[in-house]
Amino acid sequence: MKPITIEEVQPLINQFAKQPVYIHLETTNGAYASHFDQSFFSASAYIRNANVTYEHGKIIGEGPFRAGLKIEIGWVYAEGLTHFELDQEGRLLLAGHGFDGKLAVALEISKTPFE
Amino acid sequence: MTTSNERHVLVIFPHPDDEAFGVSGTIAMHTSSGTPVTYACLTLGEMGRNLGNPPFATRESLPLIRKDELKKAAEAIGITDLRMMGLRDKTLEFEDDDQMVQLVSDLISECNPSLIISFYPGYSVHPDHEATARAVVRAVKKMKKEDRPTLHCVAFSNGHEEHIGNADVVHSISPFANQKMAALRAHISQTAWMLKDLEETLVNGDQPDAAVKFFTEQFWTVDVDQLEV
């Protein structure tokens, strides 16, 4: 993965607009967060293979970045994005790696379902 | 060091590397003495957060990397029967309970183990660990008492010893330390963070507690009839 620049990622987001795509979206603080720090409130969410069509999408910020996809009757949104890759299967993978290097958020867009 | 008298050992954990931290020395002990060990690993740890810093893996490439690591780790500790069960990381507690039990029952029927090693329900922290532990206990409970294998469980939640006391099975795994270290190294995508510290600790001997933890693996023998799961 490479560090995100808006110049590189915005055109990739545009490529997937106005057609049915599959979305993977997750946030995570790790299953052990409350085990290591009992004052930490553990929360996460995850959706895999949501089939949506977005009118337009945008990536914004000065790093870490935020990305929002406007779908017909709602939104898909992720904050804390730091890295991206257009992988071998042509999927756009956006990820946010925390200060410790661990994955904290992921937003991925694919024309075919994720495994 | 106790010599293994087991007929067959069945190890059931949800994530590649669950076997490495607290059990790999024990597994090496069994395989070294010729006891067949089956390791059923329920997921590929697809949702792991360690992807390298800077990242060398993606959310989508991680499963393949971990699959490879799992095979290497199994090899390092002499496991020849590695089963990858194809469930997905962080979803086990949402699976159908009966199917989870059936999965374990099928493994037991096939392997006819004299010993099962898994997690201790209620004291194993990660929701996947807990779901695995419940399925194992339920599957063993369904068996006739005289047919049941011994069940050794791993517990590590905060304050677990206040509730379940000290472990009754303690293996000194020093003779198998190299295999254990090789298993930990095999899972490098997940262990890079701790391996450097661990290696220094073992060389310098400046943190006796950490060294004891590495060289000693402990289990609680569980009577399934005493557990409400």
Side-chain angles (χ1 to χ4, degrees), chain B residues 153-210:
Chain B
C153 292
V154 174
F156 67 101
S157 63
N158 292 317
H160 61 278
E161 285 174 328
E162 289 162 29
H163 298 276
I164 56 175
N166 294 325
D168 62 309
V169 178
V170 180
H171 293 144
S172 164
I173 59 90
S174 306
F176 308 101
N178 287 341
Q179 284 107 304
K180 179 169 185 170
M181 194 51 94
L184 285 166
R185 280 203 198 98
H187 290 292
I188 193 67
S189 76
Q190 305 303 300
T191 53
W193 273 258
M194 51 79 70
L195 263 186
K196 196 164 165 286
D197 288 348
L198 178 63
E199 282 167 356
E200 279 170 17
T201 297
L202 296 180
V203 171
N204 301 337
D206 53 357
Q207 286 185 65
D209 286 355

Side-chain angles (χ1 to χ4, degrees), chain B:
Chain B
M1 176 55 53
T2 48
T3 313
S4 168
N5 295 315
E6 300 299 339
R7 176 177 65 235
H8 193 131
V9 179
L10 174 59
V11 180
I12 307 178
F13 289 128
H15 310 121
D17 79 7
D18 283 336
E19 86 293 348
F21 292 106
V23 185
S24 53
T26 299
I27 294 173
M29 177 187 84
H30 287 297
T31 57
S32 299
S33 62
T35 304
V37 175
T38 296
Y39 176 24
C41 189
L42 303 192
T43 82
L44 290 177
E46 291 91 343
M47 299 294 276
R49 295 180 69 223
N50 293 343
L51 302 175
N53 188 14
F56 60 80
T58 69
R59 172 52 78 239
E60 301 308 317
S61 68
L62 186 67
L64 294 175
I65 291 171
R66 295 195 71 174
K67 189 177 186 177
D68 212 40
E69 291 177 346
L70 175 60
K71 287 181 189 165
K72 284 186 187 132
E75 198 177 319
I77 51 178
I79 293 172
T80 52
D81 186 18
L82 171 64
R83 315 279 183 98
M84 291 179 265
M85 306 304 289
L87 298 171
R88 191 173 171 93
D89 195 8
K90 290 189 92 166
T91 67
L92 299 189
E93 63 185 331
F94 309 116
E95 286 285 355
D96 179 84
D97 288 328
D98 293 337
Q99 283 183 21
M100 286 291 288
V101 173
Q102 192 59 52
L103 178 151
V104 177
S105 297
D106 289 347
L107 285 164
I108 294 174
S109 309
E110 191 194 331
C111 301
N112 187 24
S114 52
L115 172 67
I116 296 180
I117 298 176
S118 190
F119 282 116
Y120 199 133
Y123 303 97
S124 53
V125 182
H126 191 299
D128 285 337
H129 297 178
E130 296 290 348
T132 303
R134 287 195 296 273
V136 169
V137 167
R138 286 170 182 157
V140 173
K141 257 191 193 193
K142 282 174 72 178
M143 301 173 73
K144 276 190 262 167
K145 262 187 192 184
E146 57 270 28
D147 295 337
R148 290 175 185 168
T150 305
L151 179 54
H152 286 175
C153 292
V154 174
F156 67 101
S157 63
N158 292 317
H160 61 278
E161 285 174 328
E162 289 162 29
H163 298 276
I164 56 175
N166 294 325
D168 62 309
V169 178
V170 180
H171 293 144
S172 164
I173 59 90
S174 306
F176 308 101
N178 287 341
Q179 284 107 304
K180 179 169 185 170
M181 194 51 94
L184 285 166
R185 280 203 198 98
H187 290 292
I188 193 67
S189 76
Q190 305 303 300
T191 53
W193 273 258
M194 51 79 70
L195 263 186
K196 196 164 165 286
D197 288 348
L198 178 63
E199 282 167 356
E200 279 170 17
T201 297
L202 296 180
V203 171
N204 301 337
D206 53 357
Q207 286 185 65
D209 286 355
V212 167
K213 218 172 154 189
F214 177 82
F215 288 116
T216 313
E217 295 181 350
Q218 55 178 25
F219 304 89
W220 282 257
T221 306
V222 165
D223 176 358
V224 292
D225 289 330
Q226 302 300 313
L227 288 186
E228 296 282 335
V229 294

